[in-house]
Amino acid sequence: MSYAPLALRSFALSVVGLSFLFVLNNYLIFWQDWPGVSNLFAHMGWFGFDALRTPLSGGSLTLAWLQLASYLVLVLAVIGFVISTPQRLMHQEAARLGAIAAYIVRAAFWAVLIVGIGDAIISFLRIEGFLGAFVGADLEKQLGISRFRGTYVHMPLIGIACIIAYFVRTLGFAWLALLVVVAELQIVIARFVFSYEQAFMGDLVRFWYAGLFLFASAYALVEEGHVRVDVLYAGFGPRGKAWTNVLGCLFLGAPLCWIIISLGMWSKAAVINSPILSFEVTQAGFGMFVKYLMAGFLAVFALSMLVQFMNYFLANAAELREEPGRPKRPGGLNDA
């Protein structure tokens, strides 16, 4: 039995698993006040980390060790899973990774659609003075606070979007593109025909357009939808293209995604964490309260692309090894 497929599967699944675990630990650190692995390293004086002003102790130290152990356990669990399923081929594993990326993208699509419509309605009713008639004066004031609206309106809508994405296995990027056009069109009509324009109208266009651009990237990757600016690749044979894709995923694609995730979530002031933690809004007026979600788009983009890069990596590795039953073209979102 060849051990190369097992090693390649272990590598790809570990990369994906560690990325999701990093995001989970980011939530535990900055939302639940867990200490984090970096503070453990600083506490122990490992890897050149500066010593903590207040050393970890008691429960905090235990939680830090649990977070470090979670990374080690995940890698061991992945290796154990791969060893216990030697019959699973690389292209089959790639297809499963593609299905995971497809679900993430579907959920993100439905989230921006539902949250965009819901938040725009609230903003419209609020600026026109109708919101209090529907929800009462107290709730109207609460909905004017970004943290409240994000926690009690956006998050439940995102949960609903995740449920819809599980049952509705189609990707609606064409519809989202159409909605972007419609949203822009209504701005033009409202401004030049009715002399009416509000901040939330432009916010909705930017919110949907950002989602369309970032979430469609993973889909376009495997569907060969990205524009290739190359001189040599087009002239390569199947094996040459497969080698190029494997090396590109390893040394360009995956590292880029990890840079976005790590730098964007390394601290409270990082480019992804800072807006989300403060529920940042576009302005202090009556615009939509979704700017913090647009920072989260970067994390969704990086995660979905990373999963797809590992999908692409395994699919092309299967091509190089000429695995039986492999699809004619590496894919992953075709079954979405």
Side-chain angles (χ1 to χ4, degrees):
M1 180 181 66
S2 175
Y3 293 100
L6 301 182
L8 293 173
R9 286 176 55 210
S10 297
F11 170 78
L13 294 180
S14 294
V15 168
V16 172
L18 289 173
S19 65
F20 280 98
L21 186 56
F22 179 85
V23 174
L24 173 61
N25 273 314
N26 179 79
Y27 167 78
L28 294 175
I29 293 168
F30 297 111
W31 291 85
Q32 302 299 325
D33 295 324
W34 286 41
V37 175
S38 60
N39 279 333
L40 176 63
F41 290 163
H43 174 81
M44 301 298 294
W46 294 346
F47 307 113
F49 280 80
D50 295 332
L52 297 175
R53 293 181 180 179
T54 304
L56 300 177
S57 61
S60 295
L61 185 59
T62 301
L63 293 176
W65 278 110
L66 285 175
Q67 288 180 278
L68 176 61
S70 66
Y71 289 100
L72 302 176
V73 170
L74 184 140
V75 173
L76 292 176
V78 167
I79 294 174
F81 168 76
V82 170
I83 292 176
S84 66
T85 56
Q87 74 284 355
R88 185 173 296 183
L89 300 176
M90 284 190 292
H91 69 81
Q92 294 173 329
E93 204 74 80
R96 288 177 174 85
L97 289 177
I100 293 173
Y103 174 76
I104 295 173
V105 173
R106 288 198 307 270
F109 160 73
W110 285 107
V112 297
L113 177 64
I114 298 172
V115 171
I117 294 173
D119 199 278
I121 292 173
I122 292 174
S123 297
F124 170 74
L125 293 175
R126 182 166 174 251
I127 197 171
E128 295 300 329
F130 300 140
L131 186 59
F134 287 94
V135 300
D138 291 339
L139 186 54
E140 179 185 15
K141 292 180 181 179
Q142 294 291 330
L143 289 172
I145 302 173
S146 61
R147 183 173 296 275
F148 181 89
R149 195 187 297 192
T151 302
Y152 296 103
V153 177
H154 297 165
M155 296 307 160
L157 291 178
I158 291 173
I160 293 172
C162 292
I163 296 173
I164 295 174
Y166 181 81
F167 293 101
V168 181
R169 298 178 177 271
T170 56
L171 289 169
F173 293 116
W175 290 106
L176 186 55
L178 176 61
L179 288 172
V180 171
V181 175
V182 171
E184 189 66 56
L185 178 63
Q186 60 90 20
I187 291 177
V188 175
I189 294 175
R191 177 191 299 173
F192 294 104
V193 177
F194 301 102
S195 299
Y196 180 87
E197 183 177 9
Q198 299 295 342
F200 74 86
M201 299 163 69
D203 291 344
L204 180 61
V205 173
R206 287 186 288 272
F207 184 62
W208 278 348
Y209 183 77
L212 174 65
F213 178 79
L214 290 174
F215 301 155
S217 296
Y219 175 80
L221 174 64
V222 173
E223 293 298 318
E224 299 289 353
H226 288 278
V227 176
R228 290 183 180 271
V229 182
D230 67 81
V231 177
L232 303 176
Y233 183 86
F236 290 166
R239 291 186 63 82
K241 290 181 178 180
W243 271 114
T244 302
N245 291 330
V246 166
L247 297 176
C249 290
L250 283 178
F251 298 108
L252 296 176
L256 174 63
C257 295
W258 263 107
I259 289 172
I260 294 173
I261 295 171
S262 60
L263 292 183
M265 295 184 167
W266 191 255
S267 66
K268 284 187 176 181
V271 66
I272 295 177
N273 278 343
S274 178
I276 294 177
L277 290 170
S278 62
F279 288 90
E280 184 177 343
V281 298
T282 304
Q283 57 184 29
F286 291 92
M288 292 177 63
F289 287 5
V290 293
K291 185 177 181 180
Y292 76 98
L293 289 176
M294 295 172 70
F297 287 0
L298 289 173
V300 176
F301 163 79
L303 285 173
S304 60
M305 287 293 287
L306 183 61
V307 175
Q308 279 295 54
F309 276 127
M310 290 300 99
N311 163 17
Y312 215 45
F313 167 77
L314 286 178
N316 282 277
E319 184 75 20
L320 290 173
R321 292 187 57 82
E322 299 183 350
E323 277 192 348
R326 65 188 185 281
K328 294 181 179 179
R329 178 176 60 83
L333 289 176
N334 301 310
D335 61 346

